[in-house]
Amino acid sequence: MVRVDNRLIFEMSSRGRTGYTMPKLDVPALSDDDAVPRKFRREKPPELPEVSEPEVVRHFTNISVLNHHVDRDFYPLGSCTMKYNPKVNDRAAALPGMSDIHPLAPEEVSQGALALLFDLKTMLAEITGLPAVTLQPAAGAQGELTAMLMCRRYHIDRGQPERDKVIIPDSAHGTNPATVRIAGMKVIEIKSNAAGLVDLEALKAALGPETAAMMLTNPNTLGIFERDVEIITALVHEAGGLVYMDGANMNALAGQIRPGDMGFDMMHLNLHKTFSQPHGGGGPGAGPVCVRADLAPYLPAPEVVRDADGRFRLDYDRPKSIGRLHGHHGNYGALVRTTAYLWLLGREGVERMSRMAVINANYLMTKLAPIFELPYAGPCMHECVLSGRKFKSNGVRTMDIAKRILDFGMYAPTVYFPLIVEEALMIEPTESETKDTLDRFVEIMRTIAREALENPEIVKNAPHTTPVRRPDEGKAAREAKLRWRPAAG
Amino acid sequence: MVRVDNRLIFEMSSRGRTGYTMPKLDVPALSDDDAVPRKFRREKPPELPEVSEPEVVRHFTNISVLNHHVDRDFYPLGSCTMKYNPKVNDRAAALPGMSDIHPLAPEEVSQGALALLFDLKTMLAEITGLPAVTLQPAAGAQGELTAMLMCRRYHIDRGQPERDKVIIPDSAHGTNPATVRIAGMKVIEIKSNAAGLVDLEALKAALGPETAAMMLTNPNTLGIFERDVEIITALVHEAGGLVYMDGANMNALAGQIRPGDMGFDMMHLNLHKTFSQPHGGGGPGAGPVCVRADLAPYLPAPEVVRDADGRFRLDYDRPKSIGRLHGHHGNYGALVRTTAYLWLLGREGVERMSRMAVINANYLMTKLAPIFELPYAGPCMHECVLSGRKFKSNGVRTMDIAKRILDFGMYAPTVYFPLIVEEALMIEPTESETKDTLDRFVEIMRTIAREALENPEIVKNAPHTTPVRRPDEGKAAREAKLRWRPAAG
Amino acid sequence: MLEAIGVRRFEDLLLSLPEKLRLKGHLDIHPGRSEWEVVRDISALGNQNAGAGRYTCFLGGGIYDHHIPSVIDHVTMRSEFYTAYTPYQAEVSQGTLIAIYEFQTMISELTGLPVANASLYDGASAAGEAALLAASVTGRSKTIIAGRFHPHYRDTLKTYVEMSGHQVVVDPAPDHVADLDWLKANLDDSTAAVFVQHPNFFGQLEAMDEIRELTQAKGGLFVAVVDPSTLGILAPPGAYGADIAVGECQPLGIPMAYGGPVAGFFAANQKYLRQMPGRLVGETVDRDGKRCWTLTLQTREQHIRREKATSNICTNQTLLAHRATVYMSLLGPAGIRELGEQCHARASHAARTIAAIPGYSIPLSGAHVKEFVVQCPVPAADVVRCGLEHQILAGLDLGRFDSAWKDLLLVAVTEKRSAADILKLSEVLAAAAASSVGSGGPRG
Amino acid sequence: MLEAIGVRRFEDLLLSLPEKLRLKGHLDIHPGRSEWEVVRDISALGNQNAGAGRYTCFLGGGIYDHHIPSVIDHVTMRSEFYTAYTPYQAEVSQGTLIAIYEFQTMISELTGLPVANASLYDGASAAGEAALLAASVTGRSKTIIAGRFHPHYRDTLKTYVEMSGHQVVVDPAPDHVADLDWLKANLDDSTAAVFVQHPNFFGQLEAMDEIRELTQAKGGLFVAVVDPSTLGILAPPGAYGADIAVGECQPLGIPMAYGGPVAGFFAANQKYLRQMPGRLVGETVDRDGKRCWTLTLQTREQHIRREKATSNICTNQTLLAHRATVYMSLLGPAGIRELGEQCHARASHAARTIAAIPGYSIPLSGAHVKEFVVQCPVPAADVVRCGLEHQILAGLDLGRFDSAWKDLLLVAVTEKRSAADILKLSEVLAAAAASSVGSGGPRG
Ligand SMILES: Cc1ncc(COP(=O)(O)O)c(C=O)c1O
Ligand SMILES: Cc1ncc(COP(=O)(O)O)c(C=O)c1O
């Protein structure tokens, strides 16, 4: 049913066609006095497409079906927590008084929004065990930046500006080191040990008087819980550093154990992973940061607070704050979705969520380990990392396997990450999937493994049935055609 | 991208799974006094599927993409007016105070709904030239029934109960004769003349003292305007009958000419054709009936009226009314959509709508006539009827051509209707299509015509690329499997 | 384009229209508005209505304020469903066909009858169609309505059959349930069908077994009019031997929308299959042997059979049937049962609470599975009016239908009505009684 | 499933978690609610907010109450777009990739700069990223903010760069536009970039040509912060030589939503391509030679380059960028121009109307293309409060940012604000002045 109508919207354009309506101008037309002075005026109109409303609808509808998406089938992308997002979340975010409110409206007519934010902060504080929360960061990476800036400010405040080294395991997500540099600090990378965990000796060696912090993903990106977490946090604390948890994998822990209780001082959450903000093809997300009480003064401004009379207020008077990271209050719409999600789930629901996520991941690990290879022993938490290296001798790479999965109508796992696993396949089923779906996935993987041995060409040339097949990425980068231009002539 | 996951929702069922939430029961549980007596109780639960919310979403999302639809591409179904429906219509119908109102709410808190209905009646009266309007009929066929019942009541009221014959041209839609019978009257079918129009002699012959009415579709189902309409209406009036216009083709006329001015006494409109209620895969629609002022007393009850003080009210006191045809006020949601549509278009928009519909149809007729055959000369109005008979000698039937179109991603025209055209292809482009789309359609038709001559097998075996290919309709009717049952055993 | 067509002006295409009749000026309707103005103006009208978002709704009488799971809008408002036409070209309509087939199956399960169609306009017109069917298969001319039947359904049924010479007789039902003696006296060999609503218009359960027996003994068809939201707890029509069951799908995930669009369902005994009105989807296989679905038994329908069709219906309420299908899929057997139980428990609690308010009583005994009648100490219209002041739609003033009922209020309680809502209602009722006393207003 | 895994209890999977740290009881959050309760409770909160459906909104300051065509919600809320992940597997992500490519093209057209990225978090953080880029390509450490700049953008920019040792100096702009003398005095060889908002925070047009000349003469980058809804009438940054243009897409079809999610855009001169932050989609061909799209130049990004990445951004605001893309598609060149003209005409009318109210004046001359400052005879906070009584968000009390501005009100006028709305605003302003006089309340 899907034709790849390869036309861009610009290529459907026809002079004079429009898809909008404007109210009748019921005020006087502009007088010369009011006109924009000539030098400020636009001369050449932008070459936007000229199309009708039906054409716009058809174009976007037709390109949309070229996408895989969670509402279609399994999306086992490790580290991405592609869970199903209950539709009530979107309904909540679109309600009157939620989607149509101005961020600078007086607080007296924003009490609903402020109450919601306050309630969400309270829930996230409880879930993480870290009592002070900012909801401003727009995504995980901005949450990391928030925390690293706070960390820097904290040390400076304590008269230790020399503390500017941040220790990061080699299995960490790329945003961690990138963030550290932007926050004006330096990265010390440490190798993981044979079990895929933090190597305590390496950690000790890295710690020192310049240690600002350690960033630790737990469960780590292999899906393994850092069993020495208490020792790790204690070591860093002893050295005078803070311990930051990259909370991208919180779907494994929520309701089971709390980062605050493990000794973490700060962390971010990815609401678009753990707490059901849909990914939107790459965003929006939200990356709240939760911290120890004594770090609260450094949180971004403004902060939602509740006064003694029960009224809510934005507190701008935060002299130690690192400042703002967003023009307004962050991705409020995402925060509404998470609030709806947490209200829907409640405490038992949150516990069930992580429990099922862990069970599903272990189920897949158990079923897939014999077919592929499990470089680090389980049990895993919410995701498992396999290696596809045994097919290399047949010329089949993990990327080929990933592409072949697409032919079966599912998405591919995250591949080649974490970097420390050769030919990595990182698989995260989430709690939303039924056993039936997991079994279908296992069956597909088994089929592909067989093909890789018996008929490797079919895998190496995959995908075969998708709208397009292996775009030439080299050409894309070389030519850097980043916008459409009309054909010459 | 589309896999035909052939599973029905029942086949995804797994004991104990659910996709709903209920509020906590915050009232006392049922006492024995209140319990349903045993004999009234359900013993065996209905075998509804047991599935989770994500499974429901995926199932309906995945089956949905097996459909063709207007938001995908051209839908040239003659007589169906598959125009694009502006999205604001749906937004209007879903607004608070529109979708969430109870039909039995007191009038004092339903003034908005009543005002809307009154405004819509006023607009439809103006467009049709027939001043009295009921919005209750849920679709065209129910509109026809409303009118035929009114017609019957009218004659009885005037002491002419013997008037129970209704004259219908052979090109009429099937609902016309079916309606007449249900209304307790008899059908007199008359043949069309060589030009595809009402044969005046046949009409005269059919008229008589038992004539209750004539039902006339104008433009008729060949897309041709009945040029003798004034003579026709005069003849029927002379014979003491009423003239009903089947307004399914009003998209050709709105804003150009008014049925009331042509001598029609009553008519229905299909809001789901002319006035942009989306078809919903077969419904809902709405079939308002507009009549001459003196027929107003027979309209269904209740009627929306405006009192002298400007307040709106439902008038139930209608002694001559034919009564009710609907549990409440008809398809209100559709009526809101049409109101939004007409407000959006305004008078110029309505005129542009019919103008473009007629131009588009004539453009297609001109381009397609040389490829197929035009049994009745144009110009046409909003649609044109071609014949595919010249391909019969190659064994290619119109149905084959229709199926072959599907391979190109467009829908097929209406085929084998009207019955008076051999191998009919009834094509209605509507005003929403751009010339570009029409040209693509012509190109497809040209390709198929070529194939029919050069490579008829490809047409006869079409479609080739659709999710399924020519369902066995005989088997369906013979076996009459009208519901799913679990596989035995 | 005019050039391609070969005319100079648009008007040249309209030469067959009588020139003197062509509109000269503009239509007398407003100039077009922008999308924003349309939204603004319709919102303004919406604000004049008692939307269930603002008013707590205890109104029922056939249309109920149930919760609508968010999934339903999301899925059924996909362009693929809502902008598709009737699935004539089955090859590119399997989505609609599968959804209808599932609907037919679910309605069959819910009613306990083997065949169900793809939907009719609404519950009331479905009753009308059932009356036509009964008249046609029995060749008889009398239709009996027994028990306390919804007056709108009664009126619609009459509209559907009376003009073709059929007679409709209506049980006075002095006790607000079927009067079996009256029924026996009126049942005869000319009786095509007996219609009973269950629970009836007043929320009462009717003696379905007895009525079925009496009816079928005389060779008439027994037609049950039922609320599908009660069928998780109440015996299905198939279980008590109904020949036909019709009703309204609105409680199953369809917005109230001032009463429409909703969707009627029609389920029947196998033997009436070929007389059924409306579309039917059947399973078959395609050329490659693949299971698939298609419209079937179309020889019953007007576009094939014309005046001999079983009904004149063409466009139906497919999209609303889809909504009900998604709803039933979400609920499953456990949910449909819990839905019934919740309404039942809440209605019982409401009835008990109201019975305790001085002056008010619950005149009819029997289980209140969702809706019940309240005897008020003042005209029910006054109670309703008092409710509006507190943003409560307190119920349906039955005096609208019969002046003898002017002190009766019909109260519906869905799963959405919390204990707090019920408390609020009882306060309104108390206030209405008090204010009427205070103001010396008219009593009983 | 536990059996298949080979454990007896779920807890056996958590053996690596320190037992004593595991949560023993429940989390201290509420039990779950039903979907209906969630909708009800969030609706109740919504009713405590000044939704633009109930309040007439003259608030701006970066977020505007423009009309959002219905098509946008319909199309972008298709599961295909909003439940998809970042388009890593290009084969099954062409929908997202095409839409982003179109976004990049449209932003490039609107800004007159050759390359634009796939979106950043918002306008303010986009300014922060631009400052980082400028510092990195110039190797310089001073960032200058000239003219009357949005205080939130200023603060965000500072947060982004100050911690890595960069200095931000801010023009006092006593005349509420850039002070060119101050600028000359502060521009030097250590200046990485000069940022100017145009129209500026007070709605004024800035001397872009002059500032560009001064800046580039010193080898700094000239960064324009612009409102895309004005770019149908105002010269694009490319035309006045900006090196980088950043801004906020919210006016282009994105709900206000208390300020987020919105989407920042980032467009630049070709030469900064390899330093750009954020994702980029490029055209290429697939194995069969078919044109297609893919994420490209990813070596700039954190997941490849790690600490050497040009930015740490990963998740961005794609869905909001889609909204802007659909919006710009609907409007086209004519619409984007008419949008600008309508806001301009309405803002001018509003300014003229307000200037005629005794006590009020429009202190700044110059074209008001969408937003302008009003000098009030009473504290702007009082005017705002008075507006609330009439369900009007009268504007932004600038006293929130600087006590010297406490009598200044910033008023934004979009195409949605009718003559009647403007009249209502002027009445509120008049009433605020009067009531303050009457009550003997505090003056200026
Ligand atoms: C482990 C980990 N850390 C951090 C991030 C960055 O989060 P975001 O994309 O929300 O900026 C991700 C997201 O992919 C992640 O998986
Ligand atoms: C000419 C004509 N008349 C009547 C009808 C019946 O209208 P409806 O389907 O709305 O009942 C149709 C619809 O297909 C039609 O095309």
Side-chain angles (χ1 to χ4, degrees), chain A residues 6 9-11 19-20 22-24 26-28 30 34 36 40-42 46-49 51 53 59-60 63-64 66-71 75 77 80 82 87-88 90 95 97 99-104 109-110 112-114 126 141-142 149 153 172 174-175 179 181-182 230 255-256 261 272 278-284 316 322 324 326-333 343-344 346-347 351 355 359-360 366 403 411 461 463 467-470 472 476-477 481-484, chain D residues 1 4-5 10 16 18 20-23 26-30 32-33 35 42-43 45-46 49-53 60 63 71 75 78-87 89 91-93 95-96 101-102 104-105 108-110 121-122 124 152 156 159-160 163 206 231 233-235 255-261 273 279 281-288 290-291 296 302 306-307 309 312 315-317 319 329-330 332-333 335 338 342 344 346 348-349 352 400 415 418-419:
Chain A
N6 228 346
I9 190 99
F10 305 98
E11 294 160 345
Y20 74 96
M22 282 284 161
K24 204 166 118 347
D26 59 354
V27 300
L30 277 179
D34 295 325
V36 173
F40 288 121
R41 271 188 237 161
R42 180 158 203 141
E47 288 196 32
L48 299 176
V51 285
E53 178 175 322
H59 173 68
F60 288 100
I63 66 171
S64 80
L66 305 175
N67 276 358
H68 185 78
H69 55 108
V70 183
D71 286 0
Y75 224 128
L77 264 185
C80 299
M82 289 298 285
K87 296 300 169 201
V88 67
D90 306 306
L95 284 170
S99 69
D100 61 351
I101 54 178
H102 196 285
L104 296 166
V109 290
S110 305
L114 296 173
E126 170 65 15
Q142 210 185 29
L149 292 173
R153 183 68 48 98
T175 48
T179 299
R181 190 187 49 83
I182 290 174
E230 288 172 289
Q256 310 297 338
D261 298 341
H272 44 305
H279 280 68
Y316 289 87
I322 57 159
R324 263 189 184 277
H326 192 273
H328 298 284
H329 313 294
N331 282 341
Y332 178 76
W343 285 2
L344 190 72
R347 54 192 177 209
E351 290 155 25
R355 187 167 64 240
I359 292 175
N360 276 352
T366 309
K403 297 296 181 194
Y411 205 78
N461 292 319
V468 303
R469 303 177 52 226
R470 301 230 193 177
D472 182 340
K481 273 205 210 174
L482 304 175
R483 56 156 292 176
W484 178 84
Chain D
M1 290 176 86
I5 298 168
F10 165 61
S16 52
K20 69 170 196 302
L21 299 182
R22 288 217 44 212
L23 279 165
H26 281 305
L27 285 170
D28 183 19
I29 61 177
H30 287 290
R33 296 175 216 189
E35 196 188 296
I42 294 192
S43 296
L45 291 180
N49 296 332
I63 299 289
V71 165
V75 156
R78 283 179 64 82
S79 294
E80 283 84 344
F81 284 126
Y82 96 93
T83 80
Y85 198 72
T86 307
Q89 298 290 347
E91 288 87 345
V92 292
S93 310
T96 297
Y101 188 73
E102 291 173 342
Q104 292 174 178
T105 305
S108 165
E109 277 297 324
L110 221 47
Y121 302 134
D122 74 336
H152 294 177
T156 305
T159 307
Y160 263 78
M163 211 62 102
E206 294 276 5
L231 292 181
I233 55 171
L234 294 184
M256 297 194 288
Y258 212 48
L273 172 60
R279 297 182 185 131
V281 170
E283 184 186 309
T284 184
V285 295
D286 82 347
R287 273 211 181 157
D288 305 322
K290 189 147 86 184
R291 180 173 69 158
T296 193
Q302 46 72 28
R306 300 179 75 85
E307 66 185 297
N312 71 335
T315 294
N316 62 15
Q317 306 283 122
L319 192 67
S329 302
L330 290 166
E338 194 177 342
Q342 282 235 355
H344 187 184
R346 291 175 192 276
S348 298
H349 173 65
R352 233 176 296 108
R400 287 171 60 161
E415 80 287 0
S418 66

Side-chain angles (χ1 to χ4, degrees), chain B residues 93-102, chain C residues 46 49-55 57 65 255-258 393:
Chain B
L95 284 171
M98 287 290 139
S99 69
D100 61 351
I101 55 178
H102 196 285
Chain C
N49 296 332
R54 291 193 297 140
Y55 284 68
C57 181
D65 181 30
M256 299 195 285
Y258 212 48
L393 296 167

Side-chain angles (χ1 to χ4, degrees), chain A residues 1-3 5 7 12 17 21 52-55 57-59 61-62 65-75 82 84-88 96 344 407-410 432-437 440 465-467, chain B residues 1-3 5 7 12 17 21 52-55 57-59 61-62 65-75 82 84-88 96 344 407-410 432-437 440 465-467:
Chain A
M1 292 294 295
V2 175
R3 298 146 308 134
D5 181 349
R7 283 188 306 170
M12 303 167 70
R17 223 177 268 156
T21 55
S52 66
E53 178 175 322
E55 289 177 286
V57 168
R58 283 188 183 161
H59 173 68
T61 302
N62 288 333
V65 295
L66 305 175
N67 276 358
H68 185 78
H69 55 108
V70 183
D71 286 0
R72 178 173 177 258
D73 207 342
F74 197 35
Y75 224 128
M82 289 298 285
Y84 169 76
N85 313 109
K87 296 300 169 201
V88 67
L344 190 72
D407 280 332
F408 293 89
M410 291 188 173
S432 345
E433 300 300 335
T434 60
K435 176 167 175 299
D436 175 55
T437 303
R440 281 195 295 124
T465 62
T466 48
Chain B
M1 288 298 294
V2 175
R3 297 146 308 134
D5 181 347
R7 284 188 305 170
M12 302 165 71
R17 224 177 269 156
T21 55
S52 66
E53 177 175 322
E55 287 176 288
V57 169
R58 282 188 183 162
H59 173 69
T61 302
N62 287 333
V65 295
L66 305 175
N67 277 357
H68 186 76
H69 55 107
V70 184
D71 286 359
R72 178 173 176 259
D73 207 341
F74 196 35
Y75 224 128
M82 290 298 285
Y84 169 77
N85 314 108
K87 297 298 168 203
V88 66
L344 190 71
D407 280 331
F408 292 90
M410 289 187 176
S432 346
E433 300 301 335
T434 60
K435 177 166 175 299
D436 174 56
T437 303
R440 280 195 297 125
T465 61
T466 48

Side-chain angles (χ1 to χ4, degrees), chain C residues 2-19:
Chain C
L2 290 174
E3 202 177 322
I5 297 168
V7 295
R8 266 213 311 263
R9 306 173 315 145
F10 166 60
E11 285 65 28
D12 296 346
L13 296 173
L14 302 188
L15 295 179
S16 52
L17 277 60
E19 175 59 26

Side-chain angles (χ1 to χ4, degrees), chain A residues 242-262:
Chain A
L242 297 174
V243 201
Y244 179 79
M245 181 168 124
D246 178 328
N249 295 342
M250 193 67 190
N251 212 44
L253 306 184
Q256 310 297 338
I257 194 166
R258 309 194 309 168
D261 298 341
M262 294 183 245

Side-chain angles (χ1 to χ4, degrees), chain B residues 79 139-141 144 173 175 217 246 248 268 270 272-273, chain C residues 85 314-315:
Chain B
S79 206
E144 296 173 27
H173 192 265
T175 49
T217 308
D246 178 329
H268 80 261
N270 302 68
H272 44 306
K273 297 177 193 276
Chain C
Y85 197 72
C314 177
T315 294

